Amino acid sequence: MTGLCATYGHSASPTDATRLAEAMEYRALGGYDCISFSDCTLCHLHYESLVKPQVGSQPVVEDRATITLDGSIDNRNEVHSILNQYSTSICTNFSDAELLLNAYTELGIDVFNHIHGSFVGVIYDRTTRETILFRGISGGRHLYYANIEGEDVTLIASEIGALLQHQAVNREVREKYVSD
C-alpha cells in the first residue's frame, strides 16, 4: 500500500504536508518523499524500500508540472500511442507517474479522457499555479480534501483520518451533502 498527501494555497505549509504523511505512516514503510513550491507541497508515501519500475521515484518533477500518483495505469500502450503523435522521443520505460505527467504536458486536462486504471493523484501545474486532483473511473482508490475555513489552504490525503488530525479541519457533518 502506498499513499499521497499534499497542501495547496498561499497559507499552506510544508509542515502541514509532513504531518499528513506522518498520520499515514503505516502506508510508508519505505518512507515518504515531499517536494515543496511556494504554494504547494506534494508527498508520496512508499510502502516498500525498493522502488518498483512501474512506480518509480515520486513525486515526479518535470519542467511544467509535478505529480504524485497512487495506483496504476491499465492502458499504457494506448497512452504511448497518443504521446507518439506529439513526440518521437517518448520513453517506453517511464513509470506510470512519469507517463501520466508527460501526457498531461501534451494534452492538458484532456489527458483524463484517455487514462484508465485504478489510481488517484495530484498534479501541481507550476505555469498556471493550479492543483489538479484526479482519480480513475474505477473508483478503487480514494482521495480526500479539506478546505480550511478562513485560510487559503487545502489539505489533500489518501485517508480522511489524516485530514482529521489537522486542528483546523471542520468535523461537523453538513447534512445537505449527505445522501440517504
Side-chain angles (χ1 to χ4, degrees), residues 21-49:
E22 290 170 352
M24 300 183 292
E25 68 184 345
Y26 75 93
R27 288 178 169 249
L29 297 180
Y32 62 88
D33 293 306
C34 300
I35 182 93
S36 293
F37 303 96
S38 62
D39 57 354
C40 184
T41 299
L42 279 71
C43 300
H44 186 82
L45 291 81
H46 309 283
Y47 182 71
E48 298 179 21
S49 59

Side-chain angles (χ1 to χ4, degrees), residues 150-172:
E151 298 180 35
D152 181 24
V153 176
T154 301
L155 306 174
I156 304 155
S158 298
E159 296 182 6
I160 198 165
L163 298 178
L164 294 174
Q165 295 291 321
H166 194 283
Q167 68 278 6
V169 171
N170 185 341
R171 287 159 180 75
E172 290 180 28

